Amino acid sequence: MIDTLDVGERATRVAVLNYASTVNIEFPLRTYFDKASMKEAVSRIEPLSAGTMTGLAIQTAMEEVFAEEAGARPSSLNIPKVAIIVTDGHPQDQVQEIADRAQASGIEIYAVGVGRADIQSLRLMASEPLDEHVSYVETYDVIGKLTSKFKETFCDVDMCALGTHDCEQVCVSTNGSYTCDCYEGFTLNPDRKSCSRVDVCGLGTHDCEQVCVNADRSFRCDCYKGYTLNPDRKTCSRVDVCALGTHDCEQLCVNANGSFRCDCYEGYTLNPDKKTCSRPNICALGTHDCQQICLNIDGSYGCDCYEGYTLNPDRKTCSRVDACAQGSHDCQQVCVNTDGSYSCDCYEGFTLNPDKKTCSRVTPSSLLTTEESCKCEALITFQNTITSFLETLSTKLDEMSDKLQTYQYGQELV
């Protein structure tokens, strides 16, 4: 009989009572959960002394064996409770009343008579329908033929339908027991109850070009940042972020590895915000190579020179301007180059006029008074004396001339 059962802590639990005039619980429901240990324990059972206290045996089973502390599972789980009574005699106590109480408590009773067993007593203790719950054999040697009957009746319980299983996902009814299984895309864990999602991506059987994402019972493909999934839902194409127009670059957008970066036109430099651009002050940076003056010009620079200098052909260095040689001066006689400009002068015997451009000849008197005035004090005194004498002489000559003319005019009048 044990060989036909799915024995286990979470399957069918088995207990054995041995009775005659007394009742002995050989082992309760909580003792053995594997067939080998259970059959070994059965093989050690010794028959008790004479007597057939069947009613006492049923009462003991109801009150002690099917108790939770003895290994029975809670009534709320609706686990079927089955008692198989095997007897070869006539009960020496009342069986109907105690059998009715046992059935009322939820115990299903099968009665098996052997040899001289009382068939009427079997019918009094067995559950309805009697033709399924009452059996008879001539000897113990042939009792094995009843195993198939029991297997088809009380062992054919849909444990999954009872809702007492502890499968996380799928319960599969077996011969009076159950096994656990999992939904598609999940695999049964070693505890044979719970399930874990199958890592399809980890198995390497997917056909995603870039990223495999485990999804509900299957997988889906995705792409790296900067790529977009193609209509085939497998391959990826780079996203042209700049073409999408979603960037915030002020001047230039440059696609960069699935993203973008901002750049600037020639002559501009990228600001710290990495988005906007400013024209660089190259002259202020000090990186130019102008000898004298640096001029910022539309994002670049140019060189210039101080007044009086001209830019050399290398466009960097400066040379002093020869204003006199250029012929652009307005000096009447002599042009003299000065620091970056020029001044006018005159030939010997000439003096520069107040306009600083033209020249006038120097008079002798001027020469005498200027060139000789500093020779010595005596010469100056002599010069003054001669000048005074000449002036006096000139005056006298003028007076004599007037008198002479008067005299001549008077003579003519006479």
Side-chain angles (χ1 to χ4, degrees), residues 158-204:
D158 189 348
M159 299 293 290
C160 295
L162 291 174
T164 56
H165 65 85
D166 48 6
C167 298
E168 182 181 13
Q169 292 185 355
V170 179
C171 176
V172 180
S173 290
T174 59
N175 185 21
S177 184
Y178 67 95
T179 59
C180 296
D181 202 353
C182 300
Y183 301 136
E184 182 182 357
F186 290 80
T187 184
L188 195 63
N189 293 327
D191 62 7
R192 316 305 299 172
K193 303 174 188 175
S194 59
C195 299
S196 296
R197 189 181 299 278
V198 175
D199 186 0
V200 180
C201 296
L203 294 174

Side-chain angles (χ1 to χ4, degrees), residues 231-300:
D232 62 8
R233 315 307 296 171
K234 300 175 183 179
T235 59
C236 300
S237 297
R238 189 183 296 276
V239 176
D240 187 349
V241 182
C242 295
L244 291 175
T246 56
H247 65 85
D248 49 3
C249 298
E250 182 182 18
Q251 292 186 356
L252 298 177
C253 174
V254 180
N255 284 302
N257 194 26
S259 185
F260 71 95
R261 61 179 177 82
C262 297
D263 204 351
C264 300
Y265 301 136
E266 185 177 0
Y268 289 79
T269 184
L270 196 63
N271 292 326
D273 62 8
K274 301 298 183 182
K275 300 175 183 178
T276 58
C277 300
S278 297
R279 190 184 300 276
N281 187 345
I282 300 178
C283 294
L285 293 174
T287 57
H288 64 85
D289 49 4
C290 298
Q291 183 181 21
Q292 292 186 354
I293 299 173
C294 175
L295 302 174
N296 285 302
I297 302 174
D298 194 22
S300 184

Side-chain angles (χ1 to χ4, degrees), residues 295-310:
L295 302 174
N296 285 302
I297 302 174
D298 194 22
S300 184
Y301 70 97
C303 298
D304 203 355
C305 300
Y306 302 137
E307 184 178 359
Y309 289 79
T310 185

Side-chain angles (χ1 to χ4, degrees), residues 59-334:
Q59 183 175 355
T60 302
M62 178 179 62
E63 296 177 353
E64 300 181 30
V65 177
F66 285 113
E68 290 186 26
E69 56 269 21
R73 282 163 284 197
S75 299
S76 59
L77 296 179
N78 295 319
I79 302 295
K81 298 176 182 179
V82 178
I84 303 174
I85 302 171
V86 181
T87 179
D88 59 359
H90 188 284
Q92 296 175 332
D93 56 357
Q94 295 295 319
V95 296
Q96 185 174 4
E97 181 181 354
I98 192 64
D100 290 342
R101 287 173 51 203
Q103 293 175 36
S105 70
I107 300 173
E108 186 176 8
I109 300 176
Y110 288 81
V112 179
V114 181
R116 295 179 293 105
D118 180 39
I119 298 299
Q120 184 60 33
S121 297
L122 298 178
R123 296 174 65 85
L124 290 175
M125 67 180 78
S127 299
E128 296 285 347
L130 296 179
D131 57 347
E132 292 182 5
H133 291 82
V134 177
S135 301
Y136 176 83
V137 293
E138 294 79 6
T139 65
Y140 284 104
D141 294 334
V142 295
I143 198 172
K145 69 179 183 181
L146 298 177
T147 57
S148 60
K149 177 182 178 180
F150 290 135
K151 181 178 180 180
E152 293 173 357
T153 54
F154 72 84
C155 290
D156 191 19
V157 177
D158 189 348
M159 299 293 290
C160 295
L162 291 174
T164 56
H165 65 85
D166 48 6
C167 298
E168 182 181 13
Q169 292 185 355
V170 179
C171 176
V172 180
S173 290
T174 59
N175 185 21
S177 184
Y178 67 95
T179 59
C180 296
D181 202 353
C182 300
Y183 301 136
E184 182 182 357
F186 290 80
T187 184
L188 195 63
N189 293 327
D191 62 7
R192 316 305 299 172
K193 303 174 188 175
S194 59
C195 299
S196 296
R197 189 181 299 278
V198 175
D199 186 0
V200 180
C201 296
L203 294 174
T205 56
H206 65 86
D207 50 1
C208 299
E209 181 182 17
Q210 292 187 354
V211 179
C212 175
V213 180
N214 284 304
D216 188 20
R217 306 184 187 182
S218 184
F219 71 94
R220 62 179 176 83
C221 297
D222 203 350
C223 300
Y224 301 137
K225 183 178 180 182
Y227 290 79
T228 184
L229 196 63
N230 293 326
D232 62 8
R233 315 307 296 171
K234 300 175 183 179
T235 59
C236 300
S237 297
R238 189 183 296 276
V239 176
D240 187 349
V241 182
C242 295
L244 291 175
T246 56
H247 65 85
D248 49 3
C249 298
E250 182 182 18
Q251 292 186 356
L252 298 177
C253 174
V254 180
N255 284 302
N257 194 26
S259 185
F260 71 95
R261 61 179 177 82
C262 297
D263 204 351
C264 300
Y265 301 136
E266 185 177 0
Y268 289 79
T269 184
L270 196 63
N271 292 326
D273 62 8
K274 301 298 183 182
K275 300 175 183 178
T276 58
C277 300
S278 297
R279 190 184 300 276
N281 187 345
I282 300 178
C283 294
L285 293 174
T287 57
H288 64 85
D289 49 4
C290 298
Q291 183 181 21
Q292 292 186 354
I293 299 173
C294 175
L295 302 174
N296 285 302
I297 302 174
D298 194 22
S300 184
Y301 70 97
C303 298
D304 203 355
C305 300
Y306 302 137
E307 184 178 359
Y309 289 79
T310 185
L311 194 64
N312 293 327
D314 63 6
R315 314 304 299 169
K316 300 176 183 178
T317 59
C318 299
S319 296
R320 189 182 297 277
V321 175
D322 188 349
C324 295
Q326 290 179 350
S328 58
H329 63 85
D330 50 1
C331 297
Q332 184 182 18
Q333 293 185 356
V334 179

